[in-house]
Amino acid sequence: MRGSFEKHGNIGVIRINNPPVNAIGATVRAALVDGVKALNADPELQAAVLICEGRTFMAGADITEFGKPMASPNLPEVLDVMEASGKPIVAAIHGTALGGGLETALTCHYRVAVASAKVGLPEVKLGLLPGAGGTQRLPRLVGPATALEVILSGDPVPAKAAAAAGVIDRVIEGDLLAGAITFAQEVVAKGSAMPLVGARTIDLASLPADFFTTARAGLAKAKRNLFAHQQIVDLVEAAVTKPFAEGIALERKAFMACMMHPQSAALRHVFFAERTAAKVAGVDDSVQPREVKTVGIIGAGTMGGGIAMNFLNAGIPVTLVEVKQDALDRGVGVIRRNYEATAAKGKLTTEQVEQRMDLLKPTLEFTDLAHADLIIEAVFETMAIKKDVFTRLDAIAKPGAILATNTSYLSIDDIAAVTARPQDVVGTHFFSPANVMKLLEIVRGAKTAPDVLATVMGLSRRISKVGVVCGNRDGFIGNRLLGAYGYQANRCVLEGATPEQVDAVIRKFGLPMGPIQMWDLAGLDIGYRSRQDREPGSFDERVTRTSDRLVEAGRFGQKTNGGYYDYLPGDRTPRSSALTASIIEQVSVECGITRRAFTEEEILERCMLALMNEGCEVLREGVAARASDIDVVYLYGYGFPAYRGGPMHWAENEVGLPKALERLRHYAAESGDHWLQVSPLLEKLVAEGKSFKDLR
Ligand code: 3H9
């Protein structure tokens, strides 16, 4: 039972109750049909209100039903029943009316909402398009330009703006049900007008003649590779040029094509993967998070400053500690300039900039951290320095404070061991730029307390990050995979591919940049320095030799206008370098490698399947709890295209695990050394005919 029907005098009330977000599954669809029938069967009733229980109006179709056989009636059929109602229906909206939820409301004769409500058509974020009349009704209500903006962005619109645009007929102050019933009674008193959005005509007077051509050209560039977007333009154009019924038929066909497309399967996987990542073993709802009212950050460099901005943005006061005044001033200056640049783009007011800066307390006194609820160190990535910082923190931090390290490789347990409170120590690995990248790897040490994890998971949401809990092993999830990917990219170059070729293949696949461009951006000197500390034999010196030679020639990457590529001063466009080409050839000769031609396919398979193979190892060792967590890490930390679902989803669904295994075995045999070893977990899954989902 997902709905009920009651009478308030001459007004019927159709109530939907399908927690947590009133998704329109089969039982809700049945309840909607029953409600309309009950309204029309009772001669005493003259109108109805459609309202939802719980925290929100219907947040859309039930995404878990997609890709499976759909129980009848489907949502368009339900909406046909509503539209055929002989008596008016008023949708009463609170929370979010999204996707099919808004489409249901648009089919009602009237819409009222509380001021805090939001409405939107976010289907595009799932690789879909509105498939229950949204592309045909919204343009008829708000005009094609606004409709296209709303549908293509997928972003929700606040009730007051929606009212101004004509979507909401009245914003209700006070009790929603009472306000909606009053509205319905007014409709009845005026003669029960039954306006249908689908019957409206569109005023084209202000629409430029080339509107749709321009929209298509813009998307071909900005959303290249994406399946749903161009079709949305076609459908909004159909709303303008074709009769309603014809537009609806076209929409249905396009919606089904999107739903069956791998991009939508991938984006739906991402939707659930992000939410599943929030579920952490040993941390259930009974674990009470600690209160975090103030944060301390040690280190005002690029990372420390970026991390601080996250908390300032969320209204949380930050104490920022440095050892030298000039470094502190520089760090604070960068934070201010970042905010001012955002304000210059109109995304913050001057007042908001000052509010954020007022929450920042820069200091040279380590003891000023004594009252912070959470302290994050972002100092040099050297164990000795980290241990020194944690020893000092242990002496001054208040009892119960969470002590976090922003390490990207080092052992949390070794760091925690210098304190008398290892249960309070956790890794918080932010990604650069820390104020922009959405990922937060939360590293669980052997003794990290469940309430510490619960607190940091909760905080990650508060600062608009996606938190993924991972185990304490070298490189955690993200950098561990990055190592395997970078290794293959390097090997391809050493064996005959050019850096330009490797980067182009990866960009074509959908990442914003190729691995070699990325190294130039990050600085080749960073890897060079970190290798000085590593055990010989712990990495393959042959594949890093080219990079080392470039660094020794003073080519650190973009910052020196030369790395793998040449750069013109002030211009980040990578240009081929004859010097790099000759160094690569020389290193190939030294390593006894005969260079050969590479295909796009080989580069792609070697780099991307290496990600998945290392992902299997990370799973086998328990560093990641599930394959979907690895996907989330790669999507939000490394720019993996969301429409491919992440490296694990892509390999499993687009390549297939048996084929992936066969290709990896082939490359492993060909490479003839131990640097590409097929994961035993992958072997096992394929042998048993299982998938990553079977590992949960
Ligand atoms: C559509 O409507 C197609 C139509 O055009 C055409 C049809 C023919 N279905 O996000 P939360 C689950 S496409 C199933 O943590 P919040 C979610 O997985 C749809 N389940 O809460 C989670 O489960 P769990 C268009 C759903 O308060 C729980 O609910 N609509 C759905 O942070 C709580 O979710 C959308 O794309 C769903 N539609 O945010 C809206 N939605 O607890 C998608 C949520 O087991 N939803 N769940 O992990 C959202 O954007 C957010 O959930 C919302 C609430 C803003 C509503």
Side-chain angles (χ1 to χ4, degrees), residues 346-516:
K347 292 184 183 166
L348 275 183
T349 61
T350 321
E351 200 189 351
Q352 286 168 322
V353 173
E354 294 315 320
Q355 276 166 0
R356 281 166 200 192
M357 292 308 293
D358 284 349
L359 291 172
L360 182 66
K361 182 184 176 205
T363 177
L364 297 177
E365 296 301 325
F366 200 77
T367 47
D368 285 349
L369 296 170
H371 301 293
D373 300 311
L374 163 70
I375 304 169
I376 303 174
E377 70 72 19
V379 300
F380 286 116
E381 188 72 343
T382 309
M383 185 52 95
I385 299 180
K386 304 263 189 209
K387 282 187 173 173
D388 175 55
V389 166
F390 272 77
T391 307
R392 293 166 64 206
L393 270 183
D394 194 26
I396 59 128
K398 69 177 185 185
I402 295 174
L403 311 182
T405 166
N406 179 50
T407 179
S408 42
Y409 283 98
L410 301 174
S411 165
I412 308 300
D413 292 338
D414 291 355
I415 296 172
V418 301
T419 72
R421 39 174 134 178
Q423 74 282 358
D424 296 338
V425 177
V426 66
T428 48
H429 180 207
F430 287 83
F431 287 71
S432 187
N435 52 321
V436 177
M437 298 301 282
K438 268 189 84 175
L439 177 66
L440 180 63
E441 276 187 333
I442 300 169
V443 190
R444 175 184 217 154
K447 297 189 177 156
T448 306
D451 65 342
V452 167
L453 286 175
T455 310
V456 179
M457 279 306 283
L459 261 182
S460 66
R461 275 193 97 153
R462 243 172 109 189
I463 62 172
S464 307
K465 303 262 183 243
V466 180
V468 177
V469 172
C470 48
N472 179 31
R473 268 294 276 264
D474 191 32
F476 313 126
I477 299 177
N479 282 339
R480 171 88 176 268
L481 267 69
L482 187 68
Y485 163 79
Y487 180 78
Q488 285 305 320
N490 257 320
R491 277 296 293 250
C492 291
V493 168
L494 209 54
E495 289 170 28
T498 62
E500 292 81 351
Q501 210 185 345
V502 172
D503 283 342
V505 168
I506 300 302
R507 280 197 308 268
K508 189 171 163 198
F509 181 76
L511 276 93
M513 62 174 77
I516 300 167

Side-chain angles (χ1 to χ4, degrees), residues 27-46:
T27 49
V28 170
R29 295 196 297 274
L32 286 168
V33 172
D34 288 350
V36 179
K37 282 188 184 152
L39 164 69
N40 286 283
D42 188 334
E44 274 182 17
L45 293 174
Q46 291 177 284

Side-chain angles (χ1 to χ4, degrees), residues 602-656:
E602 177 169 357
I603 294 171
L604 189 70
E605 284 183 348
R606 283 178 58 166
C607 293
M608 291 301 157
L609 294 180
L611 279 178
M612 182 274 289
N613 189 52
E614 198 64 26
C616 287
E617 283 300 275
V618 157
L619 280 171
R620 194 171 66 87
E621 294 164 12
V623 176
R626 349 166 160 87
S628 60
D629 285 0
I630 299 173
D631 285 335
V632 171
V633 165
Y634 246 75
L635 293 162
Y636 293 120
Y638 299 85
F640 198 95
Y643 62 83
R644 295 199 190 273
M648 308 303 277
H649 175 91
W650 174 78
E652 181 161 30
N653 295 280
E654 294 302 302
V655 182

Side-chain angles (χ1 to χ4, degrees), residues 20-21 23 55-56 59-64 66 70 75-76 96 98-101 103 121-123 126 128-132 252 255 271-272 275-276 279 461:
V21 298
R55 67 196 211 217
T56 181
D62 185 341
I63 309 167
T64 60
F66 290 175
M70 185 83 70
L75 187 56
T96 43
L98 299 177
E103 290 173 298
L121 293 171
E123 286 87 342
L126 299 170
L128 297 168
L129 44 85
R252 186 75 196 145
F255 175 78
F271 179 86
F272 290 114
R275 283 156 181 83
T276 307
K279 299 175 174 70
R461 275 193 97 153

